[in-house]
Amino acid sequence: MNDEIYMKLAIEEAKKAELIGEVPIGAVLVHEEKVIAKAFNLRESIQTTASHAELLAIDKANQYVGSWRLEDCILYVTLEPCPMCAGAILQARIPRVVFGAFDPKAGCVGSLMNLLEDSRFNHTAQVTGGILEQECGQLLSAFFKKLREKRKNSKEIEGGKY
């Protein structure tokens, strides 16, 4: 299935983020079965709010096609988009979004609400969630587990336990 092939590419992007200490989220934009943009989270590295994988991939795709409209593209992302990214997806006119893990705390493509399929907007997008969900979720779970352990260990050192 093509969705799994492209999601695996998004997972590879997420792994690149993890290698540099970023939350492991990756995104890939596909046009007519060709990857036109790939990106991963860079929020911690460049300290800008809009440095989510989806937004970075959308920017690259805009440059590639020479337009703000991405009407014939599919966005693959390892984590359900947040409200900011869902808004950008609508504005870019992306017709289909495929994501891996659901995000019960910030997901706006099904978990908390579904901005992409809300008919009150002038554009909607078809959503497919849960593609390679376990693999995508495991990347995030392992990352945050390591982060919690690192913080716990640094607190123990500061508290004089070592």
Side-chain angles (χ1 to χ4, degrees):
M1 181 180 206
N2 282 347
D3 286 348
E4 289 186 4
I5 291 168
Y6 295 119
M7 187 60 71
K8 286 179 182 178
L9 294 175
I11 289 168
E12 290 307 310
E13 290 299 302
K15 289 177 181 177
K16 292 176 187 176
E18 184 176 29
L19 288 175
I20 60 170
E22 292 283 350
V23 177
I25 300 170
V28 172
L29 263 155
V30 176
H31 178 260
E32 296 178 356
E33 298 191 33
K34 178 182 177 189
V35 174
I36 62 168
K38 299 185 287 187
F40 52 86
N41 262 16
L42 286 173
R43 192 165 61 171
E44 296 301 323
S45 297
I46 61 178
Q47 290 294 305
T48 61
T49 304
S51 302
H52 287 197
E54 300 96 309
L55 297 180
L56 297 171
I58 287 170
D59 283 345
K60 288 178 182 180
N62 292 146
Q63 292 172 23
Y64 180 87
V65 300
S67 174
W68 62 271
R69 293 177 185 266
L70 301 174
E71 295 172 313
D72 297 319
C73 295
I74 302 171
L75 174 66
Y76 293 85
V77 60
T78 56
L79 182 66
E80 178 183 359
C82 71
M84 176 177 65
C85 293
I89 290 163
L90 288 174
Q91 292 300 312
R93 307 295 195 263
I94 296 170
R96 182 163 183 249
V97 175
V98 179
F99 69 88
F102 287 83
D103 185 354
K105 294 182 179 181
C108 285
V109 187
S111 289
L112 297 176
M113 63 184 69
N114 191 336
L115 292 175
L116 298 186
E117 293 180 325
D118 188 326
S119 62
R120 295 174 293 176
F121 290 112
N122 65 341
H123 173 76
T124 59
Q126 176 191 3
V127 176
T128 305
I131 301 298
L132 299 179
E133 180 177 6
Q134 282 190 305
E135 192 171 345
C136 293
Q138 180 56 36
L139 271 173
L140 291 158
S141 296
F143 174 82
F144 285 113
K145 182 179 179 186
K146 285 180 198 171
L147 191 62
R148 285 189 300 274
E149 288 172 359
K150 185 177 176 182
R151 286 183 181 156
K152 179 184 173 193
N153 289 339
S154 72
K155 285 181 183 179
E156 287 176 356
I157 292 169
E158 288 173 16
K161 292 188 177 184
Y162 287 94

